[in-house]
Amino acid sequence: MTSTGSRTPPPRPMVQESAVTQLEARNVLQAFHRALRAIRLYPRENTMVKAALVALDGAVVSLIASTGQCDIRSVGDYVFVCGIRLRIQLDTYAAISHVAGRFRHAGIGGILVLSAPDGAAWVTLISALLAPTPGLQSDERRAHITAQLERENVSDFKIEPAVDELADLEEGSSQERTRQTFMQSLSATRQLMTDVRMGRTPALRQAKRAVQGIVDQIMIDDTSLIGMTTLRDFDEYTFVHSVNVCILAVALGRRIGLSKLQLLDLGLAALLHDIGKSRIPIEILNKRGQLSEDEFRVLQGHTWHGVLALFALSGSTARAWRSMTVAYEHHLRLDRSGYPRTVRSRELSLFSRIVSIVDGFDAATSTRVYQPNPWSPADVIRGMRDNPRLGLDPVLVRAFTGLMGIYPIGTVVLLDSHEIALVVAASREGQPPSRPQIRLLFDERGNPSYEATVLDLTEKDSSGQHLRTIVRTEDADRLGIQVSDYLT
Ligand SMILES: [Fe+2]
Ligand SMILES: [Fe+2]
C-alpha cells in the first residue's frame, strides 16, 4: 500500500515520468470539471463561469509551461492528464466520474490542447461536449463536436476517438484489479439507478457481472475490497453506498459460510437494496437538516418502490424474489419496529438481516448532506453490539465484528507507543480482535511516517510484552487524514 500516485500506461503520448505530478494533473482535471459544471448551469457572462475559465486557463497554461503539452483522456472509468492517471480520492472522485461520463456521452476518448486557448475557445469546446445529440452513434457525436469547433474557428483542440474500455490498460497488480472491480460496480449501479429514475427499463446484466467480480475477489481476499469501502463520495452517495453494502454483505456472507451461488444472490440483493431510492425525489434524498414527517414517509417508500422496480426489472425468478425481500425488509428490524409497517408477524430473511447490518454500518460511517460528522467505524461496531434497539441479529453482528474487528479497516488509532496508525486489516485468524494489522501514519513525535509497511499488533518483544497496543481511536478528520488515500 502506498500513498504515492498510481500510474498505468495511458493510451497515447507519454510525457516523461517525472514531468507531471499527481497534483498538477489533479489541478487541471478539477479546473476542467468546475468549468464543465459552471457552463452547464450558468450563462456565459456569469461570474461563476468567468472564474472557472480563469482557473482552467491558469492550470492548463502552467502545465503547458512545465511539460510543453496538455491532454485529458479517459479510458473506461479512468481519467488521465498528460499520461498521469488520476488517483481516486474523495476530492477527485466526483471530477473523475463526471469527466469520464461526459467523454463517454460525447463519444470521445480525449482532448489534446494544442495551444493555450482563450476563454471563448473553452466555452465553445465545453458547450459542444455538453450538447445533447440524441440518436447519434459514438463516432457521429465526435464528428459533431469537431464540426462545431471548425464552425467557430477554434483550432486549439484535437478531439480524439474513444479508446476501447480497459483492454488497453496494462494488466495491473491486485490492487489495480480491486480498483477496477469497484469502479465497474459503481458504474453499473449508477447506470441501473439512473435508468430506473428516468423510467427506462435497465438491463441487469452489468450489475450481475459486477457482483460476480466482487464475489470472485472476496473469495480470494476480502481485505482490499473492504478497504475500498472507505472511499466516500458526497455527490454519488447512493451509488457508492450500494456498492459498499454489496461488498460488505458478500464478505459477511462468506464469513458465515454461504456458498458461492448464495453469495452471488446475496450480492445482487445487496447491490439493489436501495434501488427504490431512484423513485424518491432528489430534494428529499439530499435535503439538509431534518426531514418533515411527510418527507420521511416519502423516503420510507423506497422499500416498496424497490419491490416494484425489481418486479419490472427481473420478473419473478427465485433470485428476483430474494432481492425484493431484501428491498422490502432491510429497514424493518427484527422486532418489526422499523419500516415499512407490517400487519402480520414475519421473520426477516437471512439476506435481509445481513443487509440491515452492513447497510447500517456504511450509512453511519459515511458523510452525507445531513450527516457532516459521521461516526467512527469502531463506535458503530460498538453500538451495533451493545444497542438491542437497533433490531439487528446479534449472532450476525458478532460475525460482522469478527470480520471487521472491533477496530474496522479505516479506523485511525493512537498506540501506547504514542504513534498514530491506521487499521488496514482485521486481526489474523485466531488472534484477539483488539490486535488488528496497522500502518503507521505519525511517529511518536508527530512526524508523518512514510513507511508503508504493515505491522501486526500481536508482535511481542523478547520479554513477551506487546510492542504496540491500541489506546483509543482518533478522529481522522481532526488529524487531517484522508483514510482512502492509504487504502484505495
Ligand atoms: Fe434503504
Ligand atoms: Fe441503504
Side-chain angles (χ1 to χ4, degrees), residues 174-246:
S174 70
Q175 200 178 349
E176 193 59 45
R177 277 197 300 278
T178 306
R179 279 203 195 107
Q180 276 183 23
T181 305
F182 189 86
M183 295 304 288
Q184 282 163 358
S185 310
L186 198 57
S187 89
T189 312
R190 190 190 304 114
Q191 182 69 51
L192 195 79
M193 294 189 81
T194 310
D195 281 351
V196 173
R197 186 171 285 286
M198 308 299 282
R200 295 190 287 253
T201 309
L204 265 185
R205 197 167 38 90
Q206 255 194 315
K208 283 183 187 160
R209 254 209 337 241
V211 172
Q212 176 94 49
I214 288 173
V215 170
D216 285 345
Q217 214 153 334
I218 296 260
M219 303 284 284
I220 306 168
D221 161 39
D222 48 26
T223 310
S224 48
L225 259 183
I226 291 179
M228 287 300 294
T229 66
T230 58
L231 180 76
R232 313 290 189 194
D233 186 80
F234 210 65
D235 293 341
E236 297 222 305
Y237 169 73
T238 308
F239 311 136
V240 177
H241 168 67
S242 299
V243 175
N244 288 353
V245 167
C246 175

Side-chain angles (χ1 to χ4, degrees), residues 102 105-106 128-138 140-141 144 200:
R102 184 48 58 193
H105 169 84
L129 277 181
L130 292 171
T133 46
L136 293 189
Q137 295 298 316
S138 180
E140 296 168 324
R141 274 181 275 158
H144 199 74
R200 295 190 287 253

Side-chain angles (χ1 to χ4, degrees), residues 241 273-275 277 299 302-303 326-327 330-331 339 355 359:
H241 168 67
H273 79 284
D274 269 341
I275 193 168
K277 284 196 178 167
L299 179 68
H302 81 271
T303 46
V326 169
H330 71 277
H331 291 287
Y339 62 87
V355 170
D359 179 39

Side-chain angles (χ1 to χ4, degrees), residues 89-359:
Q89 293 176 317
L90 192 63
D91 58 341
T92 47
Y93 176 71
I96 292 173
S97 65
H98 289 163
V99 169
R102 184 48 58 193
F103 276 26
R104 210 170 20 245
H105 169 84
I108 69 171
I111 298 168
L112 189 59
V113 185
L114 302 171
S115 52
D118 61 10
W122 279 114
V123 171
T124 306
L125 171 75
I126 292 175
S127 306
L129 277 181
L130 292 171
T133 46
L136 293 189
Q137 295 298 316
S138 180
D139 265 2
E140 296 168 324
R141 274 181 275 158
R142 184 169 64 90
H144 199 74
I145 293 170
T146 310
Q148 185 79 19
L149 294 178
E150 274 168 18
R151 246 196 322 276
E152 310 246 353
N153 284 326
V154 173
S155 55
D156 306 296
F157 307 104
K158 181 166 178 269
I159 306 297
E160 301 192 328
V163 178
D164 239 2
E165 273 300 296
L166 298 165
D168 286 31
L169 293 180
E170 134 189 286
E171 173 63 9
S173 61
S174 70
Q175 200 178 349
E176 193 59 45
R177 277 197 300 278
T178 306
R179 279 203 195 107
Q180 276 183 23
T181 305
F182 189 86
M183 295 304 288
Q184 282 163 358
S185 310
L186 198 57
S187 89
T189 312
R190 190 190 304 114
Q191 182 69 51
L192 195 79
M193 294 189 81
T194 310
D195 281 351
V196 173
R197 186 171 285 286
M198 308 299 282
R200 295 190 287 253
T201 309
L204 265 185
R205 197 167 38 90
Q206 255 194 315
K208 283 183 187 160
R209 254 209 337 241
V211 172
Q212 176 94 49
I214 288 173
V215 170
D216 285 345
Q217 214 153 334
I218 296 260
M219 303 284 284
I220 306 168
D221 161 39
D222 48 26
T223 310
S224 48
L225 259 183
I226 291 179
M228 287 300 294
T229 66
T230 58
L231 180 76
R232 313 290 189 194
D233 186 80
F234 210 65
D235 293 341
E236 297 222 305
Y237 169 73
T238 308
F239 311 136
V240 177
H241 168 67
S242 299
V243 175
N244 288 353
V245 167
C246 175
I247 291 171
L248 295 172
V250 170
L252 179 53
R254 177 173 173 246
R255 184 96 186 174
I256 61 166
L258 297 186
S259 70
K260 187 167 181 187
L261 217 59
Q262 287 171 311
L263 291 181
L264 290 170
D265 277 0
L266 169 63
L268 191 66
L271 190 74
L272 302 173
H273 79 284
D274 269 341
I275 193 168
K277 284 196 178 167
S278 317
R279 298 201 173 158
I280 305 297
I282 298 268
E283 310 80 73
I284 293 186
L285 286 184
N286 291 342
K287 184 177 169 181
R288 281 169 200 274
Q290 282 245 280
L291 292 180
S292 70
E293 224 169 275
D294 282 347
E295 287 167 334
F296 189 49
R297 208 165 305 126
V298 173
L299 179 68
Q300 291 181 342
H302 81 271
T303 46
W304 57 265
H305 271 302
V307 177
L308 294 180
L310 287 165
F311 252 121
L313 201 65
S314 40
S316 54
T317 59
R319 175 178 277 180
W321 178 245
R322 281 190 280 274
S323 294
M324 285 175 215
T325 310
V326 169
Y328 187 75
E329 293 181 337
H330 71 277
H331 291 287
L332 198 51
R333 299 182 178 177
L334 283 187
D335 59 1
R336 291 183 297 127
S337 62
Y339 62 87
R341 282 268 167 80
T342 53
V343 184
R344 263 184 250 141
S345 86
R346 60 189 289 146
E347 208 176 300
L348 300 196
S349 78
L350 173 65
F351 285 5
S352 301
R353 281 179 280 150
I354 291 175
V355 170
S356 303
I357 292 172
V358 299
D359 179 39

Side-chain angles (χ1 to χ4, degrees), residues 73 382 413:
R73 293 194 165 85
R382 209 170 305 127
V413 292

